Amino acid sequence: MRILVTGTAGFIGNALALNLLERGDEVVGIDNLNAYYDVQLKRDRLARLADYRGFTDLRQDLEDRETIASTFRKYAPQRVVNLAAQAGVRYSLTNPHAYISSNIQGFMNILELCRHHGVENLVYASSSSVYGANTRMPFSVHHNVDHPVSLYAATKKANELMAHTYSHLYGFPTTGLRFFTVYGPAGRPDMVMFRFVQWIAEDCILHALPLGSILRNQSAVSNNLSYFIQNKRIQTRIISSLYCPSFFNVKGKCNDFAQNFMFKNRDNSKYNLIPIRNCLWLVYVR
């Protein structure tokens, strides 16, 4: 199967492309290698894919409608997975236009091209950020998400509305995956897991918060891939070509990452870390 994956130099996109190539699919990868974080890390990720004969690496911007259109015409993908986006909540405070260009205009181009080129299915990345000011726990796809608290979240909510509209109007299936904090090999360096490691390396002090004061779901990237490929609950949405605009939360257990982190750092006692049961965020204190 020929699958177009956007964001193949990104953390999740690269892991997905590698998985698809290993199972024998052909992957057409698009990425613009932007400088939001270390470009060398992105190049290193792409190097993992370079030896696969089924991989095509394209350096393109989703906002460039004509260039992306030529890619659809040339490669005629059967399925599309859109993981390219301007990520990060804090960055949207200082660079808001990047989010509109990539997450709104770029996604619009993907929707239109999927429509006009007979793509059987579109899977795209949404975010747990869409829950915004919601206080009802645990988060559910059945909850109202009309109160985003960042521009990033607003663009992801907009993506869900746009995809739902295209599925309704033109009858092709779209599936949005609301990713919660994702961690794993070659992860994004701006994510808190790698910041913890950095702070420990710099001999900072980490204190655990009181039990239950802050909870956060984490998800391993290897588990996320099952939502694209193996998960039976949504397999019909992703693998089949049935009309179905859908959303799913993609998250792990609350304590998975925190326990692994605290038991595997170099000296638990030195950093005042304690075993926890409910995945507390750790506070960085200089």
Side-chain angles (χ1 to χ4, degrees):
M1 182 181 297
R2 182 175 296 164
I3 303 173
L4 187 147
V5 180
T6 71
T8 42
F11 175 33
I12 301 175
N14 186 262
L16 173 63
L18 182 61
N19 194 295
L20 293 172
L21 290 165
E22 287 179 343
R23 78 172 192 178
D25 290 310
E26 182 179 348
V27 174
V28 178
I30 293 176
D31 206 288
N32 66 359
L33 288 184
N34 72 24
Y36 171 62
Y37 59 82
D38 187 4
V39 175
Q40 186 56 51
L41 174 57
K42 298 181 180 184
R43 293 194 180 100
D44 291 341
R45 292 188 188 123
L46 287 173
R48 303 193 300 179
L49 311 178
D51 292 336
Y52 287 89
R53 294 180 60 184
F55 180 59
T56 301
D57 183 24
L58 303 176
R59 201 66 61 243
Q60 297 176 356
D61 287 302
L62 295 189
E63 306 96 286
D64 187 343
R65 182 171 58 183
E66 291 305 316
T67 298
I68 300 298
S70 68
T71 296
F72 272 73
R73 288 192 296 269
K74 180 176 180 179
Y75 295 100
Q78 297 165 269
R79 313 286 166 83
V80 173
V81 181
N82 185 59
L83 297 175
Q86 180 56 61
V89 172
R90 291 179 181 84
Y91 190 68
S92 66
L93 300 177
T94 54
N95 294 275
H97 294 288
Y99 291 78
I100 302 303
S101 296
S102 179
N103 301 5
I104 302 297
Q105 182 181 339
F107 189 61
M108 181 69 214
N109 291 340
I110 291 293
L111 285 171
E112 271 289 280
L113 291 167
C114 287
R115 168 196 170 194
H116 288 292
H117 288 269
V119 170
E120 298 171 2
N121 204 347
L122 167 64
V123 182
Y124 64 95
S126 185
S127 169
S128 61
S129 295
V130 300
Y131 291 106
N134 286 22
T135 57
R136 183 181 173 188
M137 300 291 173
F139 291 145
S140 167
V141 294
H142 303 294
H143 294 172
N144 182 288
V145 288
D146 289 339
H147 303 284
V149 294
S150 69
L151 182 62
Y152 170 66
T155 63
K156 288 301 183 178
K157 169 62 176 176
N159 286 172
E160 293 182 356
L161 293 173
M162 293 161 69
H164 187 278
T165 301
Y166 264 67
S167 287
H168 174 73
L169 291 175
Y170 306 114
F172 72 89
T174 60
T175 305
L177 301 179
R178 292 175 177 173
F179 293 115
F180 285 66
T181 304
V182 184
Y183 66 95
R188 275 173 40 198
D190 61 321
M191 299 298 281
V192 72
M193 298 80 175
F194 292 97
R195 296 175 73 188
F196 285 157
V197 174
Q198 178 184 351
W199 292 331
I200 287 176
E202 294 173 352
D203 287 327
C204 298
I205 299 174
L206 299 175
H207 293 283
L209 293 169
L211 187 64
S213 58
I214 298 179
L215 303 179
R216 177 77 176 188
N217 282 98
Q218 321 287 340
S219 54
V221 67
S222 56
N223 292 337
N224 285 4
L225 298 183
S226 69
Y227 278 80
F228 293 100
I229 297 171
Q230 299 170 353
N231 193 294
K232 298 301 182 183
R233 284 186 59 236
I234 64 174
Q235 192 174 43
T236 56
R237 275 79 167 187
I238 296 179
I239 302 302
S240 78
S241 57
L242 299 174
Y243 158 70
C244 186
S246 323
F247 314 109
F248 293 91
N249 288 331
V250 181
K251 59 184 179 180
K253 296 178 180 178
C254 277
N255 63 346
D256 284 352
F257 165 74
Q259 288 185 339
N260 289 340
F261 179 84
M262 286 189 287
F263 284 114
K264 293 181 180 179
N265 73 72
R266 57 181 178 174
D267 184 350
N268 284 336
S269 59
K270 179 176 181 179
Y271 296 103
N272 193 26
L273 300 176
I274 58 174
I276 58 176
R277 300 186 181 208
N278 288 329
C279 185
L280 309 184
W281 278 111
L282 303 180
V283 177
Y284 153 55
V285 181
R286 285 194 179 277

